[in-house]
Amino acid sequence: MIDTGATISLFPHRSKEKPSSLQLIAANGQSIPSWGNRIISLQFGNRHFDWDFKLAAVDQPLLGA
């Protein structure tokens, strides 16, 4: 999913570790736990991008653009 109004990108992650101190809030006001970052290579057609994602308790990736 691409959200042109998002300032960060999220990648699905679950962990038994304590979430990081970064406070993410969903549109409905619920807190979203997160656990750091991961650089992921993306390909759109013949173009490649390395994109910084926050690892978070979400169901699908969110590409903030």
Side-chain angles (χ1 to χ4, degrees), residues 3-65:
D3 182 354
T4 57
T7 57
I8 62 172
S9 299
L10 303 177
F11 195 80
H13 185 79
R14 300 284 191 261
S15 177
K16 293 181 181 181
E17 299 291 323
K18 182 179 177 184
S20 70
S21 60
L22 177 65
Q23 185 71 22
L24 300 175
I25 305 295
N28 65 4
Q30 289 184 319
S31 178
I32 303 172
S34 66
W35 293 273
N37 296 6
R38 179 181 296 161
I39 302 290
I40 298 176
S41 294
L42 305 174
Q43 181 177 344
F44 297 100
N46 62 353
R47 299 192 63 191
H48 295 271
F49 302 89
D50 287 332
W51 208 263
D52 186 24
F53 285 88
K54 301 282 185 209
L55 301 176
V58 294
D59 294 328
Q60 60 187 4
L62 173 69
L63 183 61

